[in-house]
Amino acid sequence: MSTQLFAKTSTEINLFQGYPSFDELTRDEAETIQVSLLSPCGRFMALATADAVQIFTGMEFSNRLLRVALKDVYDMQFSPSGNFLSTWERPSIAEPDHKNVKIWDLNVETPPEVPRYAYQAKVQSGWVLQFSKLDNFALKQFGKEIRIVKLDGEESTFNFDKPYSKLVPEQPISSFLISPAEFPTICTFSPEKSGKPAVLSIYAIAEGVTDKKIASKTFFKADSCQLKWNQQGNAVLCVAITDFDSSNKSYYGENTLYLLSFQGVNGALGGKSVRVPLSKEGPIHDFTWSPTSRQFGVIYGYMPATITFFDLRGNVVHSLPEQPKNTMLFSPSGRYILIAGFGNLQGSVEVLDRHDKFNCISKFDAANTSVCKWSPGGEFILTATTSPRLRVDNGLKIWHVSGTLCFVKEYKELLKIDWRHKVSQNLEKSHVIAKNEDPASDNFSDPKLGKIEVKIHPSVLEYNAKRQKNGSSDGAKDKPTGAYRPPHARRAGGAASVPGAAVKPSQRVIPGMAPPPGAVPGVAKESKAAAKNKKKRESKKKETTPDATQPDADSQAANQPRVNKEASPEEKKIRSLLKKLRAIESLKQKLAAGESLEDTQLLKIQTEDKVCKELEFLGWKNEDAQ
């Protein structure tokens, strides 16, 4: 089966066959669907309507496997191997004991319409059970402890009253995550509380009581965290987050990155915990593991951000120049790395080759992207604009790793988009697999770039023609963006921001001096006192020279120093002294009006004679003294 694409709108569901044909299959019942979901293994598609949940299977999801009558299902979740489906219904007010979470077993020939397990979860966050990679363990938190049940056969039950193992940490935990390994371990996080530091620990699952710590790390400044395991399940990254930033530099609190790792099965060869050294202050925008599980990348710091790659010991492997990026995605084999700036950034995308010293092999622009994913084979990149993140320009684009745009599909309202992972050949005839078989374990290899001839779908030509007609274009060509500037500095001086142009500070006219080059006469606002003095000077000149209607231009030019493009030190000094003189005049008027002044303001008035002498020494003449 070729790679497929799944797209959902408010009126239909589309399934595309993938490169190069992109044939489309449309379903009609999408207008009543509230939730849609593809299983990680690619075998199932779950659709939830207002009164039922349906499971479809097959090459084109044409075979309905199961239909159960469930009302108001607003969330669903597949287990990693796709053997179980969890559904969350809206809690019923009429039934206080309503078990609104149900687990359905899909790994049988005819799945029963009765759930394997049901429990109550009133809150939609954190409601789902955690399953191991092969669906042979299920975890659920009960108060301060975590209970683990083992699912080793069709007759096994989710009996959390008699669990396979119990984990009771020393401090109450706020989050935990099971590793994606064949012999799974559990990472727990206990936040900082009552002067006690936060604790991050890795436990090995054991029958009876799980209390063996493989690795542990204690630290402060941690109210919550984000956990990410690598694919081998022998290392975990933790971003510790505080609710507030003590330095008042960020609205999003402080971020610190920690790395816990171990060697051998269940840490038989020892564990290690380190704080990842980040060389720049600021938030952590993204962090992700390489599929090889030997390296990870971090994007951090105030914009422009720093991009650094580390090894399993927390040592720096490679760093990229600072640039406005906030997204990092490794290809399925780990050879190519996508770095991009989405959200409030411009949407520029770069693809790096890990085997060629992180050199950039392609660039393209994908503005307003809300979804970005690699294809399961690592040859194509999906970028899409979806609603309700953005309600305009909804659509999807398929890019080749070389930067060529291969397929475009525009929508009035696109709600969801995803790749359908490749289904193994032995699953094409039947959806049932063994418990110890991983359906998503196909090894994909990224293409080697050389002389590539990529077939472009006709939709791209239509899209480019439409864009050119509207006066815009889209593609892999770079745009002259210039140096990065933060948003608050892009309209300095009241002028529109021009990429690559220097920002000029606003200019003002100083009374008593010639206007600076480029300044518009009359734009600078004069104070009331300066306007009054100007009026007095004009009336005095009329009395002394009744025959002259205007002052002599030559004499005025002699009394006023000209400001060249680069002002001399004497002219800069005169400007500074004139500014002090205007401030003293304003304080004298306040004192005459009966206002009370501070001691420093009174001392400033006493320096008027000194300022005037310095101005005379520099060649400036007071017009009022004439």
Side-chain angles (χ1 to χ4, degrees), residues 23-61:
D23 294 333
E24 183 177 343
L25 173 69
T26 303
R27 304 176 65 93
D28 299 329
E29 69 269 23
E31 56 184 351
T32 61
I33 293 175
Q34 296 176 343
V35 187
S36 60
L37 186 66
L38 290 180
S39 63
C41 58
R43 292 181 293 159
F44 306 113
M45 178 178 67
L47 304 178
T49 60
D51 55 359
V53 171
Q54 301 179 72
I55 312 296
F56 294 90
T57 186
M59 303 302 295
E60 298 179 352
F61 294 127

Side-chain angles (χ1 to χ4, degrees), residues 233-510:
N234 62 349
V236 63
L237 288 171
C238 171
V239 173
I241 306 169
T242 59
D243 296 334
F244 302 98
D245 185 2
S246 58
S247 61
N248 293 327
K249 293 182 179 179
S250 174
Y251 292 105
Y252 307 103
E254 298 179 63
N255 299 154
T256 312
L257 184 61
Y258 297 94
L259 168 65
L260 272 67
S261 61
F262 60 89
Q263 295 180 350
V265 178
N266 291 336
L269 302 179
K272 186 178 180 181
S273 59
V274 296
R275 175 177 175 176
V276 180
L278 303 181
S279 60
K280 185 179 179 180
E281 293 184 356
I284 296 176
H285 305 285
D286 196 9
F287 65 105
T288 182
W289 282 99
S290 168
T292 61
S293 298
R294 294 191 298 268
Q295 293 180 0
F296 62 92
V298 187
I299 303 179
Y300 61 96
Y302 299 108
M303 289 294 169
T306 300
I307 304 173
T308 309
F309 298 91
F310 301 87
D311 61 12
L312 268 179
R313 296 183 178 181
N315 301 320
V316 177
V317 175
H318 186 77
S319 292
L320 299 177
E322 293 185 352
Q323 49 190 305
K325 297 289 192 295
N326 59 6
T327 302
M328 179 186 296
L329 295 171
F330 281 85
S331 64
S333 71
R335 175 173 180 177
Y336 299 118
I337 308 168
L338 180 147
I339 57 172
F342 296 138
N344 58 349
L345 299 179
Q346 297 177 352
S348 60
V349 180
E350 296 183 12
V351 180
L352 312 179
D353 190 349
R354 174 64 185 86
H355 295 176
D356 190 18
K357 300 179 181 180
F358 296 92
N359 286 332
C360 180
I361 59 173
S362 64
K363 293 182 180 181
F364 58 89
D365 292 329
N368 301 327
T369 295
S370 54
V371 177
C372 182
K373 294 184 178 182
W374 282 94
S375 66
E379 189 175 359
F380 300 96
I381 301 167
L382 163 68
T383 62
T385 303
T386 58
S387 181
R389 172 67 176 82
L390 287 172
R391 299 187 181 275
V392 295
D393 297 333
N394 280 197
L396 65 94
K397 298 176 183 177
I398 306 298
W399 308 81
H400 191 261
V401 69
S402 60
T404 304
L405 183 60
C406 300
F407 177 68
V408 175
K409 177 70 174 179
E410 296 183 278
Y411 291 90
K412 185 177 181 181
E413 185 182 32
L414 179 62
L415 300 178
K416 195 170 185 179
I417 183 71
D418 198 1
W419 292 101
R420 183 185 183 186
H421 284 242
K422 185 177 179 180
V423 179
S424 302
Q425 296 296 326
N426 60 340
L427 300 179
E428 295 182 4
K429 298 180 180 179
S430 173
H431 68 274
V432 180
I433 63 171
K435 286 287 183 178
N436 57 356
E437 182 182 354
D438 182 12
S441 62
D442 292 336
N443 294 322
F444 300 104
S445 59
D446 293 336
K448 294 182 180 180
L449 291 179
K451 295 182 179 180
I452 302 174
E453 295 182 2
V454 183
K455 294 183 179 180
I456 300 177
H457 196 266
S459 61
V460 178
L461 303 178
E462 297 176 4
Y463 175 77
N464 289 336
K466 180 180 177 182
R467 297 277 291 179
Q468 291 177 0
K469 185 177 181 180
N470 296 334
S472 60
S473 61
D474 198 355
K477 296 183 179 180
D478 297 333
K479 298 180 182 179
T481 56
Y484 173 80
R485 295 190 308 279
H488 68 271
R490 295 176 185 173
R491 292 185 175 271
S497 173
V498 180
V503 181
K504 297 182 178 180
S506 58
Q507 298 175 333
R508 59 174 182 161
V509 178
I510 300 175

Side-chain angles (χ1 to χ4, degrees), residues 177-194:
L177 187 65
I178 188 170
S179 68
E182 294 184 7
F183 300 95
T185 55
I186 306 172
C187 181
T188 63
F189 171 77
S190 301
E192 177 185 357
K193 188 175 182 182
S194 303

Side-chain angles (χ1 to χ4, degrees), residues 505-540:
S506 58
Q507 298 175 333
R508 59 174 182 161
V509 178
I510 300 175
M513 297 188 67
V520 181
V523 172
K525 296 183 179 179
E526 297 183 2
S527 63
K528 293 182 179 179
K532 190 175 181 181
N533 292 337
K534 185 177 179 181
K535 211 171 189 181
K536 285 182 181 180
R537 289 196 299 270
E538 289 178 355
S539 60
K540 191 178 289 187

Side-chain angles (χ1 to χ4, degrees), residues 6-283:
F6 168 79
K8 179 183 181 297
T9 70
S10 59
T11 58
E12 62 184 8
I13 287 179
N14 296 338
L15 189 67
F16 301 94
Q17 290 295 343
Y19 180 84
S21 62
F22 295 103
D23 294 333
E24 183 177 343
L25 173 69
T26 303
R27 304 176 65 93
D28 299 329
E29 69 269 23
E31 56 184 351
T32 61
I33 293 175
Q34 296 176 343
V35 187
S36 60
L37 186 66
L38 290 180
S39 63
C41 58
R43 292 181 293 159
F44 306 113
M45 178 178 67
L47 304 178
T49 60
D51 55 359
V53 171
Q54 301 179 72
I55 312 296
F56 294 90
T57 186
M59 303 302 295
E60 298 179 352
F61 294 127
S62 55
N63 302 327
R64 190 170 72 181
L65 179 66
L66 178 65
R67 185 186 188 279
V68 291
L70 290 177
K71 293 184 178 181
D72 300 329
V73 173
Y74 287 97
D75 201 356
M76 297 186 295
Q77 187 73 39
F78 278 101
S79 61
S81 292
N83 295 323
F84 301 99
L85 172 68
S86 304
T87 59
W88 185 88
E89 307 166 52
R90 185 174 62 184
S92 175
I93 301 176
E95 302 179 22
D97 298 331
H98 175 226
K99 295 182 179 180
N100 60 322
V101 177
K102 296 178 175 62
I103 312 296
W104 308 90
D105 190 356
L106 306 180
N107 197 49
V108 291
E109 287 289 347
T110 55
E113 298 184 4
V114 179
R116 285 281 301 272
Y117 181 61
Y119 60 96
Q120 187 179 55
K122 295 183 179 180
V123 183
Q124 192 171 354
S125 60
W127 63 272
V128 69
L129 295 182
Q130 289 194 25
F131 290 88
S132 60
K133 178 182 179 181
L134 302 180
D135 292 347
N136 53 350
F137 288 102
L139 288 73
K140 189 175 186 296
Q141 185 173 358
F142 290 83
K144 297 181 179 181
E145 66 180 21
I146 300 174
R147 299 180 185 178
I148 308 165
V149 296
K150 193 171 184 180
L151 309 172
D152 53 0
E154 295 183 3
E155 298 181 358
S156 59
T157 59
F158 293 82
N159 189 1
F160 287 99
D161 295 331
K162 296 180 180 180
Y164 172 79
S165 179
K166 285 185 181 181
L167 171 60
V168 185
E170 299 173 358
Q171 294 180 214
I173 64 172
S174 61
S175 60
F176 66 97
L177 187 65
I178 188 170
S179 68
E182 294 184 7
F183 300 95
T185 55
I186 306 172
C187 181
T188 63
F189 171 77
S190 301
E192 177 185 357
K193 188 175 182 182
S194 303
K196 294 182 179 180
V199 181
L200 185 68
S201 303
I202 298 179
Y203 293 89
I205 297 178
E207 187 174 358
V209 178
T210 296
D211 55 0
K212 179 186 176 183
K213 281 188 180 181
I214 300 175
S216 182
K217 182 73 174 177
T218 59
F219 46 86
F220 288 95
K221 293 186 177 181
D223 299 320
S224 60
C225 77
Q226 297 178 15
L227 300 173
K228 283 188 180 181
W229 282 97
N230 62 357
Q231 286 192 7
Q232 289 185 1
N234 62 349
V236 63
L237 288 171
C238 171
V239 173
I241 306 169
T242 59
D243 296 334
F244 302 98
D245 185 2
S246 58
S247 61
N248 293 327
K249 293 182 179 179
S250 174
Y251 292 105
Y252 307 103
E254 298 179 63
N255 299 154
T256 312
L257 184 61
Y258 297 94
L259 168 65
L260 272 67
S261 61
F262 60 89
Q263 295 180 350
V265 178
N266 291 336
L269 302 179
K272 186 178 180 181
S273 59
V274 296
R275 175 177 175 176
V276 180
L278 303 181
S279 60
K280 185 179 179 180
E281 293 184 356

